[in-house]
Every structure is written in C-alpha cells, then in structure tokens.
Amino acid sequence: MKQYGRVAQLRTASAFRDYLSTSRVPLEFDDEVQSGPDSSLAQSYVLGDRTIGNRFAVLPMEGWDGDAEGRPTELTTRRWQRFGLSGAKLIFGGEAAAVRQDCRANPNGLVLTRDTQKDMAALLATLVRAHEDHFDSSDDLLVGLQLSHAGRFRRPHEKTKPEPQVLYRHPLLDGIVGVNSDAPVLTDDEIARTVDDFVAAAVLARDIGFSFVDVKHCHGYLGHEMLSAVNRPGCYGGTFENRTRFLREVVAGIRSEAPGLEIGVRVSAFDFVPFKAGKDQVGEPAAFEGDVYPYAFGGDGSGVGIDLSEPLAFMDTLSALGIRLVCITGGCGYYNYHIIRPCLIASKGSYLPPEEPLLGVARLINVASELKRLRPDLCYTVSGLSYLQEWLPNVAQNLVRMGHADFVGLGRMALSYPEMAADVLAGRPLQRERICRGCSRCTTAPRHGLVSGCYLTDRFYRDRPEYEQVERLVRS
Ligand SMILES: Cc1cc2nc3c(=O)[nH]c(=O)nc-3n(C[C@H](O)[C@H](O)[C@H](O)COP(=O)(O)O)c2cc1C
C-alpha cells in the first residue's frame, strides 16, 4: 500500500517544492508570507455596496450537534464563536441549515424555520460579538447562512436510518442509500414546494440579520443532484436549462420576498463516480455500465475526469441572476471524500486515500482558478486547503496575489485552529501544534453518531466524554 509523505515534515520552501515536484502535484505557492495591511490576504474586497475586510473565508462546517428541533446547542455556539474570532471576514454559510425539519441530513442538523428563528439569531449574534471583541469592527464582516435540503442523503429522524428523497434513480448511489423503488423520487410539485421552503427560510435569514444565503448546490445534496438529473423527465431534468430551474426559481422567490438579501451559491463544480474500498482497502472508482458516466456534474464522462463546460455555463447562469458570491468545492463526502476534503487518514470505515492528498488539494484549487480565469467577474472562494497545513498561508497568498481566487476558505482548519487567519494577517508565527493534520477524526465521529469537532488538537474536545470512543475507533 502506498505511503504518502507528511506535510509537517516539509519544513522549508525548497523541501515543499521538491515534494510537489516529485509527486507531480501542480500547485504554486509563495516562499514568504507577507503580513500587515499591505499584504495580499489583508486586502479588502468590494461586493456591491459591502466591503469585506480581508481574503480569508470560513467554510460551512457542521457539528452534528443541534438539538432535536434543529436549534443550536452550546457546542454549535462555541463553534460559531470561534468562526467569529478567526479573523476571517467572510463566513460562507456557517453550516448547513435545513429549510424544513424533515430535510435534514442528520437528526442533529440545524433548521431555520419560525420555531428556531430566535435561536439562530442568537447564534449569529454570538459570532458577530466574538468578532467585535477581537477585531476593530464587524462593519466589514459578511456572514451568510447555508440553506440546505439533504435530498439523497436525508436522515431527519434517526442517525442510522437513511430516508432519501431523490431526483432520479441512480445506478450506483441508489444502493448506497437504500433506494429500491421509485417512491423516494420527488415529483415536480414536491420540488416546487421545496422552492417555497428555501424562499421562506431566506426571508427568515434576512430578518435575523444574515447578509446572504448560500443556496447549497454541493456535496450530493438536493441542489447538487439537480445538476446531474440528466435523465429526469419533466421541467427539472434533462436540459441544462431544466437542471438549473430549481436555482432560478429559488433566486426569483428570494428577490421578490427578501429584497436586499445577497445570494451566494456553493457548488460542487466537478464530481466523480462513487469510490469504494478495493485491494488493501485503497479507494477505487466503482464500475458503471456503458461507455459514458453521465451523472457527474462537471465530469468528462469517464467517471474520474473533469470537463468544465457545464460549470462555466453554471457561472454564466449565476451572473445572469446577479449572483457573484460563489464557493467552489467538488464531489461528495459520502461517496468520494478524497476529492472534497483531501486527507492522509480516511474516516474509520471508509476507503483509504487513492492518491497523494495534495493532488486532491491541487485539483480543487486548479478548478477554481480555471473558472476564475474564464469567468473573472464572479467572486470565488476556494475550498479544500486544510491539508496544506503549514503551507496553507503560502498557497493562499499566491492564489489571491495572482488573482486565481478572491477568498481562501478554511474548513477543517477552522475547527482545529480558527485563529490561523488572524495570526497570518498579524505576522505572528503559526501555532504548529494546532494545525489540522487531516486525521479525519472530525468525520469519523459523526459517522459513528458522535458530535464533530477537532479531537486531535482542540483541548475542549479532548476533554469530552466522546474522546475515548473516537480514539478507540481510530485505533481499531
Ligand atoms: C466536520 C465537517 C463538517 C462539514 N460541514 C459542511 C456543511 O455543513 N456544509 C458544506 O457545504 N460543507 C461542509 N463540509 C465541507 C467543508 O466545508 C469543506 O469543503 C471541506 O472540509 C474541505 O475544506 P478543508 O480542506 O478546508 O477542510 C464539512 C466538512 C467537515 C470535515
């Protein structure tokens, strides 16, 4: 089985460059990271009539720790507080908030409805207050909420009970989530009602004080599945026009019911076939029938390649809708985790990494950069950088300095070491012991019904009762 190098051991720029070169990873970085107000990452960004204070973003990161009604708990509040004190000036969604109780991905997911509105307002206030306590002002802080319907990966009632709602019968994914009849296929009317739920949630988000909503189109959830519904009959399937109808209807509803609310979209701009454990448990692509795999949005038909024609058309659709805020991610954590969150060690129970994880990082970055190059008017946040570890700031600076991305997103790093952004901007040395190492404890825990957090570096989670269980899982 192939062993990959440890990024933490690549202590100099030349060692990192040599490793990238030997491993054939196409990734650029700056040898030195600047700090202070003139540095690339400290530059503000003007989005319409708002100014965003620097180029760090926090990506949506859920914790599987809401209460039964979808309200935030103390754990959720602590996470959002840390997002606020991170120093990042763009909060791209906080975490997935379901637009109805029954479209959650897990029974502890957040929900935004009239019943939870007050608690969600308090959550937002905590984040903003934490930011104000640590930095000059929150005037240049832009906070959005990710609105979501888990679709095929719906588990609203029991952690162990998938209750998928799908857009089409999928030859490979149906087996993974237990779809064996047409009953879970949503009708056009049900989709139209879901559009109303997204709009209603957006109105609540605006009333609470969120500056934007992210109409989630990633990671296999409903919005993302829309984009690959190539064989679905009716007005939400088939042509590209039909597959983006859901987005257009949600946006039209928000514009009419919540004028002034900014809209963003997080999109899986490419996808692969599902991967499964093969020889020595190493991930390999699932076999599919026929010569062309049509269900990967942004795929080239081979199941493991990329064709950006449709993602570019999607960017054009966003532009035509007056949307500039876009966050680029890829794939789906449930069936090809290595293309969305590259890591050295897989979650317990999953396949082992099929490639050098830095290749996964480079793929995500290079897709975002290519979209930025070809459709430069949108405002791009790039995802999947945490595995860069010590080198995250160097790559991030290069991306922004070269104009390859507008914002660099922090996902897992925002759990282990949220202040990385503040430390970089202030020119303080990195706190090495807090750097995310891609150990996957944050995904192993929820896969086994436990709350998520950084069980490796965050004392708070090391002291929690779940810690021993997570350690037993990773060592078994
Ligand atoms: C514990 C955990 C929770 C996540 N929650 C969400 C979420 O609520 N919404 C979403 O779009 N992505 C979610 N993601 C994906 C991350 O936002 C991000 O795309 C991924 O971790 C890769 O970025 P990174 O390398 O900085 O971690 C989650 C990932 C993890 C590990």
Side-chain angles (χ1 to χ4, degrees), residues 61-384:
M61 294 296 288
E62 65 179 318
W64 290 259
D65 52 16
D67 75 7
E69 278 75 45
R71 296 189 174 87
T73 60
E74 273 176 37
L75 293 180
T76 326
T77 304
R78 176 180 186 268
R79 186 170 54 259
W80 282 55
Q81 186 182 29
R82 285 157 61 88
F83 293 166
L85 58 76
S86 68
K89 291 286 187 180
L90 175 61
I91 308 295
F92 207 109
E95 67 184 272
V99 297
R100 277 195 328 255
Q101 281 264 353
D102 74 342
C103 46
R104 289 193 272 185
N106 68 86
N108 297 103
L110 295 188
V111 178
L112 179 57
T113 57
R114 285 203 179 288
D115 292 341
T116 64
Q117 186 181 12
K118 250 179 43 204
D119 307 85
M120 293 296 285
L123 187 64
L124 171 62
T126 301
L127 186 156
V128 174
R129 209 166 33 247
H131 191 83
E132 287 169 351
D133 287 348
H134 288 79
F135 306 99
D136 287 350
S137 150
S138 59
D139 293 348
D140 56 355
L141 171 72
L142 198 79
V143 188
L145 181 68
Q146 182 175 70
L147 299 183
S148 145
H149 181 309
R152 186 173 285 276
F153 298 100
R154 201 177 73 117
R155 285 185 190 204
H157 300 110
E158 288 172 41
K159 287 177 180 164
T160 51
K161 187 173 156 212
E163 297 182 56
Q165 287 187 330
V166 304
L167 295 171
Y168 60 90
R169 300 294 305 276
H170 190 299
L172 302 175
L173 293 179
D174 281 2
I176 296 178
V177 292
V179 173
N180 46 32
S181 78
D182 288 348
V185 180
L186 287 168
T187 63
D188 286 357
D189 282 349
E190 286 169 323
I191 295 174
R193 282 201 291 280
T194 300
V195 169
D196 295 341
D197 295 323
F198 270 78
V199 175
V203 172
L204 296 175
R206 190 227 20 210
D207 293 349
I208 288 172
F210 282 100
S211 297
F212 71 98
V213 288
D214 160 19
V215 182
K216 183 171 187 167
H217 273 67
C218 61
H219 303 162
Y221 286 21
L222 193 75
H224 183 208
E225 185 155 296
M226 289 283 169
L227 301 178
S228 64
V230 286
N231 293 330
R232 182 186 166 98
C235 67
Y236 293 104
T239 61
F240 179 78
E241 181 77 1
N242 280 352
R243 286 180 279 126
T244 50
R245 186 178 305 283
F246 172 75
L247 171 69
R248 281 182 282 111
E249 289 181 349
V250 170
V251 171
I254 295 175
R255 297 267 189 247
S256 141
E257 302 302 314
L261 181 67
E262 198 68 55
I263 301 174
V265 172
R266 189 165 204 222
V267 59
S268 284
F270 62 95
D271 199 2
F272 287 179
V273 286
F275 272 58
K276 57 181 182 45
K279 189 169 175 297
D280 295 332
Q281 299 300 309
V282 175
E284 55 183 41
F288 58 90
E289 275 186 18
D291 296 332
V292 176
Y293 181 75
Y295 304 113
F297 178 71
D300 65 358
S302 70
V304 290
I306 297 174
D307 174 353
L308 292 182
S309 315
E310 284 212 332
L312 283 167
F314 190 75
M315 298 305 137
D316 292 336
T317 304
L318 296 181
S319 289
L321 292 169
I323 296 174
R324 288 188 59 212
L325 269 178
V326 56
C327 181
I328 302 298
T329 175
C332 167
Y334 296 107
Y335 58 78
N336 50 28
Y337 75 83
H338 67 286
I339 68 171
I340 127 170
R341 53 176 155 78
C343 54
L344 192 63
I345 301 163
S347 320
K348 193 72 199 167
S350 191
Y351 61 84
L352 299 179
E355 64 181 4
E356 160 60 57
L358 289 168
L359 279 171
V361 178
R363 184 184 297 113
L364 278 157
I365 286 178
N366 293 331
V367 163
S369 305
E370 187 64 357
L371 293 170
K372 174 76 189 167
R373 186 176 74 79
L374 295 169
R375 296 294 184 273
D377 291 341
L378 299 186
C379 169
Y380 292 84
T381 296
V382 59
S383 313

Side-chain angles (χ1 to χ4, degrees), residues 78 454 456-464:
R78 176 180 186 268
C454 183
L456 187 69
T457 72
D458 186 354
R459 196 71 265 160
F460 179 85
Y461 282 91
R462 291 183 73 108
D463 289 343
R464 282 189 61 84

